[in-house]
Every structure is written in structure tokens, then in C-alpha cells.
Amino acid sequence: MTNQKYKNLTLREFDAAAEKFDDSDPSVYNLCRKDYPDLLEELLKEPCQDVLDCGCGTGAMLVMFRDACPAKQYTGKERYGINKFSFVLSKV
């Protein structure tokens, strides 16, 4: 398989998974959500004011973090497929 064909296949697979990311599908992406509370616990220990999530997918984890710690600024970056974007969740 050429590099371009592999890249195209990867983008198609990512797009298909991203469409189901926040639903109840028992995919690896949704199984990772069980780790969000542990990650939040670690974030609460950090004195930082800015949080960057590279590969944020739909940004669901950053929204949870912002709701729990509104004084920090959150930035999400996603570079593949339909979720190719950058966003900032401002301090509340």
C-alpha cells in the first residue's frame, strides 16, 4: 500500500469513528471515557492556567474539564478528517 493510500484509509477510518465518538457505541474511543475522571483528578492537582489537548477528537474531555475547572483556559487541536479544527474554551 502506498503512503497516500494508507493516509486516505486512515482518514476514512477516523471519520467513521469520529461520527460515533460521543454515542453509546462500545468502541475503544468510548471505553477511554472511563478514564476522564482520573485525568480530571490529575488536572485539579496542577497549578497551570492553560490546558492543551492535542488530538482532542470532539472535545468532550475538554468540556468536562472546563465545567469542573472554569478558571483555566482550554485549547483543543484536532488535525484529521472531519474534525480538522482548533478551538479554545475560554475561562468562564
Side-chain angles (χ1 to χ4, degrees):
M1 180 178 294
T2 67
N3 285 343
Q4 187 60 46
K5 285 183 180 181
Y6 184 72
K7 181 178 179 179
N8 291 341
L9 174 62
T10 302
L11 290 173
R12 278 195 312 273
E13 291 296 318
F14 184 89
D15 286 349
E19 291 174 6
K20 303 188 295 184
F21 188 84
D22 291 324
D23 66 13
S24 61
D25 176 57
S27 67
V28 68
Y29 305 103
N30 284 321
L31 294 174
C32 290
R33 284 198 278 174
K34 69 177 177 57
D35 296 326
Y36 287 7
D38 294 333
L39 293 170
L40 178 59
E41 183 180 334
E42 291 301 314
L43 178 68
L44 292 171
K45 296 176 186 176
E46 294 298 324
C48 65
Q49 290 302 308
D50 299 300
V51 176
L52 171 63
D53 182 357
C54 295
C56 65
T58 62
M61 186 168 54
L62 287 177
V63 171
M64 182 196 69
F65 286 173
R66 189 222 25 217
D67 291 346
C69 302
K72 298 181 190 290
Q73 180 158 316
Y74 301 90
T75 302
K77 298 245 183 224
E78 183 57 65
R79 105 174 239 220
Y80 292 106
I82 60 174
N83 287 328
K84 187 175 186 177
F85 62 85
S86 177
F87 66 91
V88 174
L89 297 174
S90 297
K91 297 176 183 178
V92 176

